[in-house]
Amino acid sequence: MVKPVKVGLLGLGTVGTGVVRIVEGHQSDLESQVGSPIIIEKILVQNKSKERAISIDPEKLTEDPWEIIHHPEIDVIVEVMGGIEDTKGYILEALSRGKHVVTANKDLMAMHGPEILAKAQEHQCDVLYEASVAGGIPIIRTLIEGFSSDRITKIMGIVNGTTNYILSKMSQEGAAYADVLKEAQELGYAESDPTSDVEGLDAARKMTILATLGFRANVALEDVDVKGISSVSREDILYAKRLGYEVKLLGIAERQDDFISVSVQPTMVKQSHPIASVNGVFNAVYVYGEAVGETMFYGAGAGELPTATSVVADLVAVVKNLKLGVNGKQNLLSYKIKKLKTDEQIASKYFMLLHVDDRAGVLARITQAFAEFEVSLESVLQQPNVSNPEAEIIIITHDANKAAVQKVLQAFEGMEVVKSVKSVYRVEG
Ligand code: NAP
Ligand code: HSE
């Protein structure tokens, strides 16, 4: 009889439950691919007595992580419990004992990826983390393998399902932010602390991973300029739609020559751009390669079964490597030393909504500030504000560097005629 591959599962929440369902439900398909049964031997949970959505042999459950990490028969650890410091300790210990690791944990990989991959290399182990970015979309394998021949110059991602769900519902149904966030939490999309979703940190962690792989450079979380969606108003979304844009929380990683920039921010995306039509909990990653041109990858970015699909695909890859005796050969450690773009080197269009005094000469003073810092304007629209005596001015710039735009905004702070800068968005497409 063929020896089964034994798996220790850390976590039986949303993703862990999906992993059990897929490993059990697709067992014969998996076995026919890898040539041996895959058995989930032990499962780490916080509370063994908790009611579970699936039926599990209680003997398999443990609250002691070391029972799994030190288990002599377990070959692969599948980490879907989340957390950073303790979890990192379990993974490093598992690797030092020669166990391979599959993880869905972007927080861990974005912050400690290099250390974990180095440990894996030292012990000839696999560490695969496909589910850590964009749930069910196989984007990590695509960047490592599919684009190995090309030079990627831009990656744009809707990589957080919770915020995309919120923005889509606000745009399509005029729903209120707080109500939709609650729904996303109930559906299992949001992180246990949803602040990391709405303030852009979850997306920033995912963009750190994508930029590292796409540009083959040592991008760190601190290199990502992050802004979340909590300041996006229904008014902004309405203006965007009226001008032919959708507001999306976009991760944008760009490379020009050897210089890179990575950011996450609410962005106005032209409705004709394919990424503008990605709605709900769906994610998409747009990749531009110098040779291939435009590509886009689309799918469910969160949720039980889509995420578990990526986790189990990694598990299959580990077991195939075990059969071939090639584990630990694919860890990407040859990163280039990054060179970050300065604000003078980061260029894009911008949208601005200003409330200003409604009197002669105001528009001229405002456009003068743009001229002074060499920011060229694509369109300017002025309309009376129905609720007060101020006028609203909507401006879309041509491509302008970020430093110059900051200087224009600083100049507005000192102008008595500018009552408020209601919103500023980067514009794409
Ligand atoms: P979850 O529903 O909160 O489940 C976490 C599981 O881990 C639970 O079973 C919990 O035990 C167990 N656990 C947590 N801390 C533990 C500890 N200190 N000791 C023992 N057991 C512990 O989380 P999830 O949504 O499945 O997410 C898991 C991981 O996948 C996270 O890294 C997340 O970022 C990532 N991810 C999630 C999604 C998604 O759609 N949810 C998508 C992509 C990636 P109890 O059941 O006893 O509480
Ligand atoms: N909270 C994350 C999201 C889960 O909303 O995309 C998937 O990583």
Side-chain angles (χ1 to χ4, degrees):
M1 192 188 149
V2 188
K3 191 170 162 269
V5 171
K6 294 196 176 171
V7 174
L9 185 63
L10 308 185
L12 187 59
T14 304
V15 185
T17 302
V19 169
V20 174
R21 281 194 217 273
I22 293 180
V23 169
E24 290 180 352
H26 299 183
Q27 183 61 224
S28 65
D29 294 311
L30 299 179
E31 190 172 339
S32 69
Q33 290 182 70
V34 300
S36 50
I38 297 178
I39 309 271
I40 296 177
E41 183 73 10
K42 278 274 168 196
I43 305 174
L44 176 70
V45 289
Q46 240 166 346
N47 176 5
K48 285 208 288 180
S49 336
K50 189 167 160 183
E51 205 175 311
R52 304 282 160 188
I54 43 172
S55 114
I56 290 281
D57 174 0
E59 287 296 303
K60 287 192 186 243
L61 298 181
T62 176
E63 293 173 9
D64 175 9
W66 304 112
E67 199 185 326
I68 296 183
I69 308 297
H70 294 160
H71 196 299
E73 288 172 23
I74 284 178
D75 310 288
V76 188
I77 300 292
V78 171
E79 186 276 302
V80 285
M81 60 184 274
I84 300 177
E85 289 309 324
D86 288 351
T87 314
K88 177 180 138 194
Y90 303 153
I91 286 182
L92 291 177
E93 175 68 7
L95 290 169
S96 67
R97 289 174 172 255
K99 298 188 194 306
H100 309 287
V101 171
V102 170
T103 176
N105 193 330
K106 62 262 165 170
D107 309 5
L108 185 67
M109 291 311 290
M111 293 174 73
H112 300 293
E115 183 183 350
I116 288 170
L117 293 173
K119 179 67 101 180
Q121 187 89 342
E122 188 188 333
H123 294 278
Q124 293 285 288
C125 288
D126 285 334
V127 172
L128 299 182
Y129 47 102
E130 184 62 71
S132 65
V133 181
I137 308 175
I139 188 64
I140 288 186
R141 204 161 274 121
T142 300
L143 289 178
I144 296 174
E145 293 172 14
F147 282 92
S148 59
S149 55
D150 207 349
R151 194 176 145 90
I152 294 171
T153 53
K154 187 163 188 170
I155 303 172
M156 286 203 295
I158 292 180
V159 287
N160 182 269
T162 303
T163 47
N164 203 44
Y165 187 80
I166 294 172
L167 292 174
S168 303
K169 287 249 177 179
M170 285 172 77
S171 168
Q172 294 169 344
E173 299 170 16
Y177 174 89
D179 294 345
V180 205
L181 172 59
K182 193 160 166 279
E183 256 180 64
Q185 284 176 289
E186 283 162 7
L187 289 164
Y189 304 146
E191 299 301 303
S192 44
D193 174 8
T195 323
S196 70
D197 292 300
V198 296
E199 294 308 338
L201 187 58
D202 177 76
R205 287 171 169 161
K206 292 166 178 168
M207 289 308 296
T208 304
I209 296 172
L210 293 184
T212 298
L213 297 173
F215 300 150
R216 296 164 201 131
N218 64 331
V219 179
L221 185 58
E222 300 72 53
D223 301 328
V224 186
D225 192 11
V226 191
K227 185 173 177 215
I229 65 162
S230 53
S231 62
V232 176
S233 66
R234 275 196 267 187
E235 186 192 28
D236 292 344
I237 290 176
L238 280 176
Y239 271 118
K241 283 167 90 78
R242 226 194 285 164
L243 296 167
Y245 294 91
E246 292 293 338
V247 176
K248 295 288 178 193
L249 184 70
L250 271 200
I252 303 176
E254 291 174 301
R255 170 163 78 177
Q256 203 172 11
D257 303 320
D258 277 342
F259 289 89
I260 61 177
S261 62
V262 189
S263 61
V264 169
Q265 72 250 280
T267 305
M268 287 198 180
V269 188
K270 196 93 181 153
Q271 280 163 347
S272 55
H273 193 287
I275 213 161
S277 57
V278 175
N279 286 314
V281 72
F282 281 96
N283 282 194
V285 183
Y286 166 100
V287 182
Y288 189 91
E290 275 179 1
V292 73
E294 292 186 297
T295 61
M296 198 168 97
F297 305 87
Y298 169 85
E304 181 187 315
L305 290 175
T307 310
T309 305
S310 288
V311 173
V312 180
D314 277 350
L315 181 56
V316 167
V318 169
V319 181
K320 283 183 176 167
N321 287 346
L322 270 171
K323 300 282 167 180
L324 294 168
V326 294
N327 297 101
K329 301 277 188 263
Q330 288 175 353
N331 298 321
L332 188 85
L333 289 173
S334 54
Y335 302 128
K336 278 186 292 214
I337 305 296
K338 74 201 161 201
K339 291 185 205 158
L340 294 176
K341 285 187 187 184
T342 61
D343 283 356
E344 284 75 17
Q345 291 171 300
I346 299 173
S348 81
K349 289 187 185 189
Y350 285 86
F351 162 101
M352 289 179 199
L353 171 61
L354 313 179
H355 281 192
V356 300
D357 275 348
D358 195 1
R359 58 184 161 86
V362 171
L363 194 54
R365 292 193 58 191
I366 286 164
T367 52
Q368 175 56 33
F370 283 99
E372 189 182 331
F373 297 107
E374 294 180 31
V375 176
S376 167
L377 302 183
E378 181 183 285
S379 65
V380 180
L381 179 73
Q382 179 174 348
Q383 56 185 21
N385 186 330
V386 282
S387 53
N388 64 41
E390 293 164 3
E392 284 181 341
I393 297 190
I394 296 160
I395 289 164
I396 297 188
T397 70
H398 282 298
D399 270 349
N401 79 61
K402 194 175 164 187
V405 170
Q406 294 300 343
K407 285 181 191 153
V408 172
L409 292 170
Q410 274 164 16
F412 288 158
E413 279 171 24
M415 271 188 211
E416 199 211 323
V417 294
V418 176
K419 296 303 171 198
S420 61
V421 177
K422 297 298 282 184
S423 40
V424 179
Y425 286 87
R426 182 173 167 148
V427 174
E428 281 291 329

